[in-house]
Structures are given as structure tokens and as C-alpha cells.
Amino acid sequence: MRNKEAAIGFIFITLLIDVIGFGIIIPVLPKLLAQMNNISINEASKYGGYLLFAFAVAQFIFSPVIGNLSDQFGRRPVLLLSLLGFSVDYLILAFAPDFWWFFVGRVIAGITGASFTTASAYIADISTPETRSKNFGMIGAAFGLGFIIGPFLGGVLGQYGVKIPFYAAACLSFANFIYGYFILPESLAPENRRKFDIKRANPWGALKQIAKYKQLKYLLLAYVFLYIGSHAVQSTWNYFTMYRFGWTEAMVGYSLALVGILVAIVQAGLAQKAAYFLGLERSIVVGFALYTIGMILFAFASQTWMLFVFLIPYCFGGIAMPNLQSYMVGKVEPNQQGELQGGLTSLMSLTTIIGPIMMTSVFYYFTTDRAPFVFPGAAFLLGGIMMCVSFIITWYILLSKSGKIKTNLYNNSENIKFIKNTN
């Protein structure tokens, strides 16, 4: 038991440092791209979308490979190589003389960007049905805490030069690699390993494998709509706030730090409590509803204080994802957890191929004179509509009587046991 608790601590610290490195660069990216290409902030959003697109395509192709390799060779070596790859990526970005070097760096990051995939499989290895939501919530807590520290540091360091945060991110990622090399233990027992299968180690093969779990197909559809919609925030927040409200790098960093605080609170403990008091299925549905409400409110915010207030319902929607992941993990055998997480990451990467280009294009279009009217919040409204679709799907499948009758396979004894023993 102590070894498992220690392992959770190790993976938490590893992910925390990783997210700090990622969050540091967000506040300075819009102005850096604008300066590099001699364009306006709203037009720079298109280039930001291209960078996310490059990262996502590479990750979509290589995540199933990474997940399957971790099922054969273990989580530790794959995770370490991923962390080293991020360090190289940030150095490339720091020294990049033009946009195309940025593009190359993002491709490298996408290829090696398996830290969350492998970490999810790592946690699945050492979790019981009773502790899955709590342990997966720690991923969200690391993400949230990293986004408290990372963007705050990025906003502060960005005042001394737009490339300073990239050097800091490279140092943090390399320190993370060193930490993992000496501290992180292996989680996958030899008897739970399986040989690498190239047929299953491609993005379509991974999706085909997780699609065979019939009881997951509708939730996977909701998963896709949610993540596409979420890119209204992930891909345009820094550009939107700088364009609409004239925010500085520091102000962007402070707002993302608040996001980190709220996400850490929600996913570190509130997600598990929600599963206990509301039930696993209802907590997922309520979370999707809160996501939808928060996103639509962003679209119509007219003053800075409104954005900060509207972050509360949006971030509280985070109760959905750890419980949804816990639900899906309970459907998969121990020796297929890496494959499942690789498949889910491929799905998420597929949405990242679509989402950033879609949302940054909508944002840019509705901030130009080509649009029928100027509406900088258009991307948020589109994201809210997509999240509403996810809410309807999950409500129908998990809560409505007709949905439950048609998908009777959702009666999961492990999740029932989880709810009874969470208190």
C-alpha cells in the first residue's frame, strides 16, 4: 500500500514539473508570434492554431505506438524518453529564428509527448476500483497546480524577454527527466506485459481496439465533442483576452493561474466526492452541464471581471473527466491499459487536429471586417454548443431510462463497489 502511495506521489511530481514547463510559454506566445511574423495579435492566433495542429498530428500518429511500447517494455523508460523529448523541443523553440523552426519543435514534442498517456497507464496499473477516480484526479490536480505556477512564472518572466520562458521550460523538463531517472519506479508487472503489435500500434488500430468495447462507443463520442469544444478556451484564451480586453502577458498568466487553482481543487478531491454523493454517472453528466454553461458565458463576457467569475462553473465541470476515465478503465483488462490510454490520447489528438484550426479560424474571422458582425466570443459560443451535444449524449446514455435500457452493459459492478467504498 505504501509503495503504491509513493508511486502516485512520484508520478504527480513528474507531471507537475511537465505542466509547469508547458504553462510557462503560454502567456508570451501570442506576442512572440505577432513579432516574428509582423502581424496583429488576432492574426497570430491562426499561427498558434497551426502549431497546435502540428503537435496534434504527430501525437495522433505516435501516441498508440508509445502506449503499446509501454505495454511491452514498461511505463518508466517510455515516460523518461518523453520528458527528454520535451526538453529538446523547448530548446528548439528558444533558439528558433523563424516560424518554421517553431513548427519543427512542435512536431518533435508531439512525437515524444506521451507523458500523460503513459502516466495514465501507470496510474491504471496501481489503482483499485475504489481508488481510480481519486488517483486519476491527481493527474488533474497536477495539471491544475502546474497551471498555477507555470503561467504565473511565464507572465513574470515574459516581462524580461519573450524567449526567457522557453529557456526556463527547457531547464524544468530536463530536471524532470533527471528526477524520473533516479526516483520513478516501474509500475507494470512482467506478467501483465504483452508483446508489441504493429497492427495495434497505429492511430486507427488503437481506435479500432477501444471501439470494440461496445459499452464505450457513445461516451467516446461525447468525449470527442467535449475536447473539440474545449479548444475554444485552450486555443484562443490568450489571443482573445489580449485582443478583446488588452491584457498583458502577466494578466494572461494570472488568469490561467486561477484556472489552475480551480482545477486543482475540483480534481484533487471534489471529483471523488461528486461521484460519492451524486453517483458516478450523474457526476459525469453534471460536469458536462457545467462545462457548457461556463463556455457560453465566456462568449458574452463584456468586462474582465466577468471572465474570472465565469471560470468557476467552467472549471467545476472538471468533476466529469476523472469519473468518466474511471468508468472507462473499469471496462479494460490490466494488460490493455496502455492501449486504452494510447487510444484515448489518439482521440484527444484527433480533436486537437480539428479543434485549434476550427476555433482560431472562427476567432480570427469574427474579428475582421469580412465577418457580418464583430464577435470575438464566437469561438466560445461554438465550443459551448459542442459541449451541449456532449451533455445531451451523456445524459441520454447514463441517466435517461430509455438510454439505460438500450445500453444495459453500463451496469458495472466495479463502479458500484467504488461508489459504496469512497466515503
Side-chain angles (χ1 to χ4, degrees):
M1 181 64 179
R2 288 184 178 179
N3 289 338
K4 288 185 177 182
E5 290 178 353
I8 291 293
F10 294 148
I11 208 73
F12 175 80
I13 295 297
T14 299
L15 290 176
L16 174 62
I17 297 175
D18 197 22
V19 174
I20 290 173
F22 177 78
I24 278 179
I25 71 174
I26 294 177
V28 298
L29 193 57
K31 289 189 176 179
L32 178 60
L33 291 175
Q35 292 175 12
M36 183 176 291
N37 297 284
N38 195 28
I39 54 178
S40 63
I41 288 292
N42 58 323
E43 189 174 357
S45 66
K46 293 195 303 181
Y47 289 84
Y50 299 151
L51 293 178
L52 288 171
F53 175 83
F55 177 88
V57 170
Q59 191 174 65
F60 177 69
I61 295 171
F62 285 93
S63 282
V65 176
I66 299 299
N68 276 264
L69 286 173
S70 77
D71 280 341
Q72 177 174 354
F73 298 106
R75 318 301 184 198
R76 173 184 155 85
V78 172
L79 186 58
L80 291 178
L81 286 174
S82 169
L83 299 176
L84 187 60
F86 270 119
S87 181
V88 173
D89 166 55
Y90 291 130
L91 283 177
I92 291 176
L93 298 182
F95 290 101
D98 55 41
F99 174 76
W100 293 109
W101 277 102
F102 260 72
F103 198 87
V104 170
R106 289 288 81 189
V107 171
I108 292 174
I111 293 173
T112 61
S115 56
F116 276 86
T117 302
T118 311
S120 296
Y122 191 109
I123 288 176
D125 292 337
I126 62 176
S127 297
T128 64
E130 294 83 4
T131 61
R132 278 192 192 122
S133 281
K134 177 183 178 182
N135 291 344
F136 278 115
M138 293 304 292
I139 295 180
F143 185 87
L145 187 57
F147 257 74
I148 297 170
I149 302 171
F152 179 82
L153 285 178
V156 173
L157 293 175
Q159 299 177 75
Y160 301 97
V162 291
K163 289 196 173 183
I164 296 298
F166 293 92
Y167 296 115
C171 292
L172 279 172
S173 294
F174 187 71
N176 201 5
F177 166 76
I178 297 298
Y179 170 82
Y181 182 82
F182 287 105
I183 301 298
L184 191 67
E186 180 55 66
S187 66
L188 186 63
E191 63 271 17
N192 286 331
R193 301 188 185 189
R194 62 175 178 83
K195 290 185 177 181
F196 180 85
D197 183 355
I198 190 63
K199 293 181 180 180
R200 300 167 73 168
N202 65 81
W204 305 114
L207 294 177
K208 184 178 179 180
Q209 287 298 318
I210 62 173
K212 71 184 180 183
Y213 301 102
K214 301 298 184 182
Q215 66 271 41
L216 298 182
K217 63 181 180 180
Y218 296 110
L219 290 183
L220 291 173
L221 182 62
Y223 186 92
V224 167
F225 275 102
L226 177 75
Y227 272 104
I228 292 176
S230 71
H231 278 284
V233 170
Q234 296 176 23
S235 302
T236 71
W237 180 267
N238 43 359
Y239 302 97
F240 169 81
T241 53
M242 286 183 172
Y243 175 83
R244 178 72 174 83
F245 300 107
W247 284 11
T248 63
E249 294 94 333
M251 192 64 173
V252 172
Y254 301 152
S255 70
L256 293 176
L258 176 61
V259 171
I261 292 172
L262 294 172
V263 170
I265 291 172
V266 169
Q267 297 203 7
L270 189 58
Q272 187 183 19
K273 295 294 185 183
Y276 176 73
F277 287 107
L278 300 176
L280 196 62
E281 294 89 347
R282 188 169 283 104
S283 68
I284 295 169
V285 174
V286 169
F288 276 63
L290 290 171
Y291 272 137
T292 302
I293 293 169
M295 186 69 79
I296 293 176
L297 288 173
F298 290 150
F300 297 99
S302 58
Q303 297 183 45
T304 288
W305 68 264
M306 293 181 179
L307 288 178
F308 284 93
V309 172
F310 298 161
L311 280 171
I312 296 174
Y314 181 78
C315 291
F316 273 32
I319 64 175
M321 297 316 292
N323 292 322
L324 179 60
Q325 197 161 17
S326 174
Y327 198 97
M328 290 190 288
V329 163
K331 304 291 185 179
V332 177
E333 296 297 327
N335 66 354
Q336 296 177 337
Q337 294 296 339
E339 181 180 68
L340 172 65
Q341 300 305 328
L344 291 176
T345 301
S346 288
L347 262 186
M348 188 163 58
S349 297
L350 185 61
T351 67
T352 308
I353 293 172
I354 301 169
I357 295 296
M358 178 189 296
M359 297 304 176
T360 55
S361 296
V362 169
F363 167 71
Y364 175 62
Y365 176 73
F366 279 96
T367 56
T368 66
D369 55 12
R370 296 198 305 271
F373 52 89
V374 176
F375 182 30
F380 294 130
L381 181 59
L382 177 59
I385 292 171
M386 301 192 78
M387 288 182 168
C388 187
V389 172
S390 294
F391 162 73
I392 292 170
I393 292 172
T394 53
W395 172 82
Y396 179 76
I397 295 301
L398 298 179
L399 296 184
S400 73
K401 292 182 179 180
S402 55
K404 285 188 173 183
I405 291 172
K406 292 181 180 179
T407 55
N408 197 37
L409 289 172
Y410 279 100
N411 293 326
N412 187 322
S413 61
E414 286 189 344
N415 286 332
I416 293 172
K417 183 180 178 182
F418 157 72
I419 294 170
K420 289 181 178 179
N421 288 278
T422 307
N423 190 10

